[in-house]
Amino acid sequence: MNAVKEIIWSVINNNINLEAEKWLEDFKQSPDQSLQVAKVFVMLPRKTGKLSVAINEDQQKALDTAGYGYIRNWTIDRLSRVWLLSNLSLPDKEQLYSTLERLFLSAEVNEAVALYSALPFLPYPEIWVKRCAEGIRSNIGSVLEAIMENNPYPAAYLDEAAWNQLVLKAFFTEKNIKLIVGLDERANLQLALTLVDYAKERWAAGRQVNLQLWRMVGRFINAEIFEDLKIGLQHYDKTEQRAIALAVAESECQPAKDYINTFPELKLALADGSLNWNSL
Amino acid sequence: MCCSSSIARDKATMGEPEAFDISAVKGMKFFDPHVHMTSRTTDDYQAMADAGVVALIEPAFWLGQPRTGLDSFRDYYSSLIGWERFRSSQFGIKHYCTIGLNSREANNESLAEQVMEILPLFIYKEGVVGIGEIGFDDQTAAEEKYYRLQLELAKEAGLPVQVHTPHRDKKKGTQRSMDIALEHGLDPYQVIIDHNNEETVKEVLDRGFFAAFTIYPFTKMGNERMVEIVKQYGAERIMVNSAADWGISDPLAVPKTAALMKMRGLSDQDIELVTYRNAITAFAQSGQIDEADFNAQADLTEKFEGNTILRGGQQPRPDKSSIIIS
Ligand SMILES: [Zn+2]
C-alpha cells in the first residue's frame, strides 16, 4: 500500500501548484493532526482546484498493476482527499475512527464521495464495514457510485447480506454493473435467488432486465430457478435469451442445458464461443 | 362546515389556472438566488430547468414550524449540502446554499447558542456561497444579537451575507440591518439586502448594497412593479428571486419576470443583469461559484465515454399529458 500511496502522491504533485503542495505537506508534518483535519479536509478543493487529474504513462502502469488504475477518472480534489485520509497519523484506532465518523456525518456530496473512495486505502479495514454498509443506504447517485464502482473495499470486507444489498441496489439505481469489483467472486445462492425474483418483478411490470444480472445466477441454477428461466427464454427478446443461455452454460444444471439446446440459435452461439459477459 | 358545497374548487376565490408562455425568453439562462427547494416537488425542478434556470441558491431558513433541538438544525444544513444538492443535479440545476441561523429561531436563545457552535462546521463547505438568510423578523434583542454574531462570522470567513428583511415595519428594519452591517465593518458590496420594495430600494442602492427583490404572489413584490423599479433605478446591483417555499409561491418567478421585462421593452442586457449576472457577481465573492459547473451535464457523456447509462442519476421525464402512468 505504501508504494501505491507514493505513486498517488506523485500524481497529486504533478496536478497541484507549489502553494497547495506546501499546504498539504505542512499538514502532514503537523504534530497534532486531529485538530486540523476537519478544516483541511473541507477546504482542500480551494487549494487543489477540482480539475480531472492528468496521469503519465509510468504512473498509469504502476497503478494498473496495483489494481488502482481507475483513479485516472478522478478529480484532483477527490484524489488529494483520499491521499489525505489514507495518510492520517492519529494516536490510535479509536481516534481515527471517531475523526472519520465526524467527517462522514457532516459531509457534503463531494466530501462523501471522497470519504467512501478512501475506504480501500484506510488502515484497520475491518472497522469501516458498518460505515460502508450505511453508505449503500444513500440515495445520492455519486455517493453510491463511489462505493459500488471501481472500489475494491466492499468485495473484500462486506458480509454477505451487505454485499448482496450493494449488488441489488446497483441494479435498482442503474449503476454500471461491470464496474463492481469482485462481482463474480462474491456471487452466492442467496443473491442469485433475490436477483431472479427481481427479474420476475421487472418482467411482470413490462420492464427490461439488466443482462449482467444473469452473470450472478449461472452457477446457482437449480430446478426452481430453471423454471423461472424458462419464462424468460419463452417470452423475452434475443439479447435476454442470450444472457440466460450464457448463465446456463456456466451452471451444473443438466436439464437447463438440455433445454437451451432446443434453441438452435442459442446452441450455435454457445458452441462458437461468441457469447461472453463483456460483449452482452 | 367544510367543503360541503361541491368537489369543484371555488373558481371565484381560487381563480382560473393560466398557462405561462416562456417563448419571450427562450434560450436565456437564469439564476434564482433565493429559493427553498426543500419544500418543492420534482415538477418544480423540471419546470425551472425547462424555463432556463441553470443555478440557484437555497438559503437556510425556517421550516414552517420551530425546530426543538440542535440535531434537526444539523440535519437540515447537511441536507442543503447533500441530498437537496443531489436532487437538484438530477434536473441539471446547479444548487448552492447559504448557511445561517434565521431570525425567528434566534429567539430561542439556548438553542441559538448551540447552533452558533456548529455553524463554522458548515460555512466552509463547497458550494456554500454566503451566510444567510439572517437578519430581523420581530426585531427583538435576541435577533439583533445573533445577527451581529453571524456578521462577524461572515467577515472572518470572507463570505457574502444574505439579509432577510422583516415583513412588519420593513423600512426601519431594513435601515437597521444596513446600519449594523456597516457598524461591523462589512463592505456593503458583500451584503445582499433581500425582500426589498419601492420604499426601501433607493436607500439600499445609495448606500452601496445589493438589492434583491422577491417576486412572490400576494405578499411581496409583483413583477409588474418590478419592471417599473428597473426602469426607474436601472439594473446595477439589483437582482430578483422567487423565495419559493412551503407557501403559495412561484418557482418560475425569475423567468416569468424576465419574460415580462422583455415584453415591456427592457433591454436584454438589463434583463440578464437582474435575472442572472448580478446575483452571480454578488455571491461569487465567496469563491464558490464557477459558471463552468452550470453546464456540467453537457460533458457527462464525454467524461464517462463508452458508457451509455445516464450518469449522475439524471431523471427521465414522465409524459404528464398522458393519463397512462407507466
Ligand atoms: Zn427565504
Side-chain angles (χ1 to χ4, degrees):
Chain A
M1 186 50 78
N2 278 333
V4 174
K5 286 185 194 168
E6 264 172 41
I7 306 165
I8 290 180
W9 176 241
S10 78
V11 173
I12 293 172
N13 241 300
N14 294 350
N15 284 274
I16 60 178
N17 62 29
L18 272 177
E19 189 203 334
E21 186 188 327
K22 188 175 176 316
W23 182 75
L24 282 172
E25 285 202 328
D26 281 353
F27 172 73
K28 207 183 164 194
Q29 311 302 337
S30 77
D32 189 356
Q33 294 188 338
S34 63
L35 286 175
Q36 295 176 56
V37 57
K39 194 172 170 191
V40 170
F41 180 74
V42 169
M43 307 269 279
L44 186 143
R46 294 168 201 226
K47 304 283 181 182
T48 62
K50 300 196 285 183
L51 295 175
S52 295
V53 289
I55 294 189
N56 69 37
E57 242 173 78
D58 291 343
Q59 291 165 335
Q60 186 62 52
K61 263 192 211 142
L63 287 167
D64 283 337
T65 312
Y68 299 97
Y70 58 84
I71 67 170
R72 71 170 169 274
N73 293 322
W74 289 5
T75 53
I76 183 62
D77 54 319
R78 180 173 177 183
L79 186 64
S80 306
R81 275 176 166 155
V82 168
W83 175 86
L84 180 87
L85 296 168
S86 63
N87 281 290
L88 286 180
S89 66
L90 296 168
D92 54 39
K93 187 160 101 172
E94 283 66 36
Q95 277 233 28
L96 180 66
Y97 180 79
S98 61
T99 302
L100 260 65
E101 195 56 20
R102 269 201 306 277
L103 295 182
F104 272 109
L105 287 179
S106 66
E108 55 84 40
V109 179
N110 292 333
E111 291 172 21
V113 166
L115 282 159
Y116 286 108
S117 302
L119 291 179
F121 301 92
L122 297 178
Y124 318 114
E126 69 287 353
I127 64 176
W128 314 110
V129 167
K130 272 204 162 143
R131 173 39 67 184
C132 182
E134 182 59 32
I136 298 165
R137 295 188 186 103
S138 168
N139 259 1
I140 299 179
S142 53
V143 172
L144 288 176
E145 281 161 18
I147 300 169
M148 294 169 174
E149 299 179 357
N150 289 319
N151 188 334
Y153 180 87
Y157 296 101
L158 289 185
D159 63 28
E160 186 175 292
W163 171 259
N164 290 354
Q165 201 48 239
L166 180 150
V167 174
L168 192 61
K169 188 147 180 184
F171 280 107
F172 268 85
T173 56
E174 298 179 337
K175 297 294 170 286
N176 190 340
I177 303 297
K178 291 178 187 172
L179 297 182
I180 299 177
V181 177
L183 202 59
D184 299 314
E185 293 79 356
R186 296 232 30 196
N188 61 77
L189 173 64
Q190 203 50 53
L191 180 61
L193 290 170
T194 307
L195 289 174
V196 172
D197 278 349
Y198 169 58
K200 282 156 67 186
E201 261 177 48
R202 298 279 301 181
W203 288 339
R207 299 187 170 119
Q208 282 196 314
V209 175
N210 184 321
L211 301 177
Q212 295 295 316
L213 183 149
W214 302 111
R215 176 174 173 180
M216 272 148 286
V217 173
R219 279 185 278 150
F220 304 95
I221 296 175
N222 54 24
E224 183 195 342
I225 295 179
F226 174 41
E227 287 308 311
D228 295 328
L229 295 188
K230 275 191 199 161
I231 305 175
L233 287 166
Q234 283 159 7
H235 297 284
Y236 293 94
D237 66 8
K238 279 218 172 74
T239 51
E240 183 102 52
Q241 290 180 352
R242 291 157 78 92
I244 294 175
L246 193 53
V248 169
E250 290 173 353
S251 82
E252 311 270 296
C253 181
Q254 199 53 47
K257 292 185 182 207
D258 296 340
Y259 186 72
I260 292 291
N261 284 334
T262 65
F263 295 80
E265 196 253 5
L266 297 178
K267 188 179 173 183
L268 189 71
L270 284 175
D272 73 13
S274 63
L275 277 185
N276 67 67
W277 292 115
N278 282 324
S279 68
L280 271 173
Chain B
M1 291 301 292
C2 153
C3 321
S4 54
S5 55
S6 114
I7 345 176
R9 303 200 301 174
D10 181 355
K11 293 229 167 86
T13 55
M14 296 184 79
E16 293 279 354
E18 268 175 272
F20 153 50
D21 179 12
I22 191 69
S23 59
V25 287
K26 203 164 176 56
M28 286 182 84
K29 25 180 208 190
F30 303 107
F31 187 107
D32 189 342
H34 186 150
V35 57
H36 300 284
M37 296 312 296
T38 302
S39 316
R40 311 300 306 191
T41 65
T42 51
D43 283 2
D44 290 335
Y45 269 125
Q46 201 115 59
M48 290 168 82
D50 289 347
V53 176
V54 293
L56 57 84
I57 297 172
E58 174 151 12
F61 192 50
W62 193 57
L63 283 179
Q65 70 172 40
R67 281 163 278 221
T68 58
L70 181 64
D71 285 347
S72 45
F73 275 95
R74 191 202 317 267
D75 291 342
Y76 175 64
Y77 297 145
S78 290
S79 76
L80 294 183
I81 55 173
W83 177 240
E84 204 55 47
R85 186 176 286 180
F86 169 67
R87 220 163 70 94
S88 185
S89 74
Q90 292 179 301
F91 300 91
I93 299 177
K94 179 74 187 162
H95 182 283
Y96 301 98
C97 66
T98 57
I99 294 282
L101 169 68
N102 70 82
S103 47
R104 287 186 204 223
E105 287 172 300
N107 290 306
N108 180 347
E109 281 210 62
S110 61
L111 186 52
E113 209 59 54
Q114 300 171 50
V115 173
M116 287 305 299
E117 274 177 39
I118 64 164
L119 283 184
L121 265 181
F122 289 96
I123 60 173
Y124 293 104
K125 298 276 185 188
E126 240 184 293
V128 175
V129 297
I131 303 285
E133 49 184 309
I134 62 171
F136 287 111
D137 183 51
D138 277 0
Q139 307 192 42
T140 64
E143 288 174 17
E144 179 171 336
K145 174 181 168 189
Y146 290 100
Y147 177 53
R148 287 179 183 275
L149 285 170
Q150 292 183 91
L151 290 174
E152 284 298 316
L153 198 58
K155 209 166 78 174
E156 195 190 313
L159 284 172
V161 184
Q162 190 170 28
V163 178
H164 165 96
T165 55
H167 301 267
R168 300 172 297 279
D169 201 9
K170 178 176 282 286
K171 189 161 186 185
K172 277 212 244 34
T174 303
Q175 283 168 338
R176 199 170 151 203
S177 303
M178 291 189 287
D179 292 344
I180 295 174
L182 296 176
E183 219 180 279
H184 283 265
L186 273 100
D187 178 353
Y189 197 71
Q190 286 232 322
V191 180
I192 298 92
I193 303 290
D194 213 337
H195 314 316
N196 278 282
N197 61 23
E198 290 85 347
E199 296 300 304
T200 59
V201 53
K202 184 169 189 310
E203 187 179 343
V204 169
L205 290 174
D206 285 350
R207 294 175 82 174
F209 292 83
F210 277 92
F213 290 81
T214 295
I215 310 300
Y216 195 105
F218 312 126
T219 57
K220 295 188 173 93
M221 282 295 290
N223 59 2
E224 297 192 281
R225 288 158 57 204
M226 193 64 225
V227 172
E228 296 310 311
I229 283 179
V230 176
K231 280 186 178 164
Q232 185 172 349
Y233 294 96
E236 196 194 330
R237 275 179 291 120
I238 286 183
M239 67 185 79
V240 298
N241 61 58
S242 70
D245 55 11
W246 24 254
I248 294 174
S249 41
D250 192 339
L252 298 185
V254 175
K256 281 182 181 177
T257 303
L260 189 71
M261 286 174 167
K262 178 99 184 164
M263 283 148 63
R264 302 273 163 99
L266 265 70
S267 72
D268 283 3
Q269 194 195 352
D270 281 355
I271 297 172
E272 199 219 356
L273 284 171
V274 299
T275 58
Y276 183 77
R277 179 65 53 202
N278 287 345
I280 296 173
T281 304
F283 288 97
Q285 296 180 84
S286 64
Q288 290 296 302
I289 296 183
D290 181 354
E291 276 181 81
D293 291 340
F294 296 1
N295 299 315
Q297 307 297 329
D299 63 18
L300 281 173
T301 42
E302 206 177 352
K303 210 159 146 194
F304 300 96
E305 54 188 293
N307 181 0
T308 53
I309 296 172
L310 272 181
R311 302 304 293 237
Q314 286 159 282
Q315 294 291 297
R317 181 191 297 270
D319 180 3
K320 294 270 177 182
S321 64
S322 169
I323 198 171
I324 306 293
I325 299 172
S326 51

